[in-house]
Amino acid sequence: MPVKLERKDEFALLTLDRPAALNALSFAILAEIAARLDEVAAMPGIRALFLTGAGEKAFCAGADIKELRGRSLHDQRCGAEFGQAVFARLDRLPVPSVALVNGYAFGGGLEFALAATFRLCSANAVFGLPEVKLGLIPGYGGTQRLPRVIGEPRALEMILTGRSVKADEAERIGLVHRLVTGDLLEAGLDFARGFSGYSLPVLEFARRAVQRGGDLTLHEGLQLEAELSTLAYRTQDAEEGMAAFEEKRKPEFRDG
Ligand code: CO8
């Protein structure tokens, strides 16, 4: 199967496994990703999902270009909406996700990583939205998520010139959270342990406040924050966290 899903302790690891085509996203692979994401959402005890690509060269080199030619406009439109919907499923997963970018992340590959909550990369990672070189523009969310992550001026430059960005620049401009020199999965596990002990619903309220807030006015965003922070306050985990502080002990969160 070109999309593998395995468990690593309290985490899930999804691997795009089509190294001969640099893990390019055929429509069949996109459908498999969707199915695996549904499995992750239903897996008991999972605290985070990691995404990576098989092989030494690529996280994912984008949409499968060989499938794109000669399609009807209707099929092309449905294809773009399908890819967007699959990546939105990642965005809305009940657990945070961490893309471990171990090589090229081009086109749909970068768009996949952008839909993850966090991005870590190895020194050989290269990021780009080179669609203009094909006479296309990004279609799986890149024009919307990239400016939200690195700002409009830098995103416009990457999208209009197709220029790729190496790992050190990606870290400098905030495209990735960490550039890792050692083992990428080990670093990912360490990174995820920075949040995985906290209450999952509380983490989700925080993610929702930040991510949905980006689409709102400041006033609307503050209202959303007031609603979500009240929902967090209502959890047993908030009661436990505050009690543990007063009793000078470690809290035991139960995701409720
Ligand atoms: N699609 C299909 N096959 C690919 C892709 C791809 N995106 N990328 C690489 N491959 C294949 C190559 O064809 C080659 O196969 P073969 O050996 O059979 O010829 C194999 O992978 C290895 O690739 P290279 O020999 O090219 O490896 P290099 O190390 O020389 O180069 C690169 C690596 C620079 C990553 C190069 O492969 C490349 O430029 N790939 C294309 C990157 C790209 O343009 N990505 C964007 C694709 S478009 C997109 O993602 C969104 C479009 C809008 C979507 C809307 C849809 C409905």
Side-chain angles (χ1 to χ4, degrees):
M1 270 208 275
V3 184
K4 281 196 203 146
L5 183 63
E6 46 194 312
R7 206 178 163 124
K8 295 257 171 212
D9 307 329
E10 70 271 42
F11 304 111
L13 171 66
L14 182 151
T15 306
L16 301 176
D17 192 9
R18 195 193 175 198
L22 305 186
N23 304 317
L25 298 170
S26 62
F27 292 112
I29 288 182
L30 277 173
E32 257 201 58
I33 292 173
R36 298 289 94 75
L37 292 176
D38 286 349
E39 279 176 44
V40 173
M43 272 171 145
I46 288 296
R47 318 294 301 177
L49 168 68
F50 296 107
L51 313 169
T52 196
E56 302 296 308
K57 280 177 73 172
F59 173 73
C60 170
D64 188 329
I65 298 166
K66 293 165 192 170
E67 275 187 353
L68 292 182
R69 291 184 65 199
R71 288 155 58 74
S72 71
L73 293 184
H74 176 76
D75 284 356
Q76 183 64 8
R77 167 89 195 218
C78 291
E81 286 176 353
F82 177 58
Q84 289 178 355
V86 174
F87 293 175
R89 223 178 273 208
L90 174 62
D91 220 343
R92 288 198 302 266
L93 210 61
V95 295
S97 50
V98 185
L100 302 173
V101 179
N102 55 321
Y104 295 112
F106 279 173
L110 174 52
E111 291 169 306
F112 188 35
L114 283 167
T117 321
F118 300 107
R119 286 160 292 285
L120 271 55
C121 76
S122 52
N124 70 334
V126 189
F127 302 83
L129 291 177
E131 283 87 343
V132 280
K133 297 180 185 174
L134 301 166
L136 298 171
I137 75 165
Y140 293 158
T143 63
Q144 303 306 304
R145 288 200 178 88
L146 187 64
R148 284 169 165 81
V149 172
I150 63 169
E152 185 181 308
R154 287 193 169 107
L156 272 173
E157 188 205 332
M158 281 181 72
I159 293 168
L160 269 61
T161 66
R163 182 174 81 83
S164 55
V165 161
K166 291 191 177 147
D168 50 350
E169 184 179 356
E171 188 186 38
R172 187 167 53 73
I173 64 177
L175 182 49
V176 297
H177 295 78
R178 300 275 190 284
L179 162 55
V180 173
T181 45
D183 185 90
L184 191 54
L185 180 57
E186 280 306 317
L189 292 167
D190 263 7
F191 183 86
R193 289 196 178 106
F195 59 78
S196 63
Y198 300 131
S199 163
L200 271 185
V202 168
L203 289 176
E204 199 184 340
F205 294 140
R207 274 166 66 206
R208 225 188 286 168
V210 173
Q211 289 172 331
R212 292 215 190 140
D215 300 333
L216 303 174
T217 63
L218 177 63
H219 178 68
E220 291 164 339
L222 290 172
Q223 283 181 325
L224 175 70
E225 184 187 75
E227 275 162 33
L228 292 170
S229 66
T230 309
L231 288 179
Y233 180 80
R234 259 181 29 176
T235 61
Q236 288 295 318
D237 286 334
E239 182 53 37
E240 166 63 8
M242 291 184 284
F245 175 79
E246 284 196 23
E247 292 158 20
K248 298 188 187 302
R249 62 175 173 80
K250 204 170 174 286
E252 283 180 37
F253 294 124
R254 295 200 157 81
D255 294 335

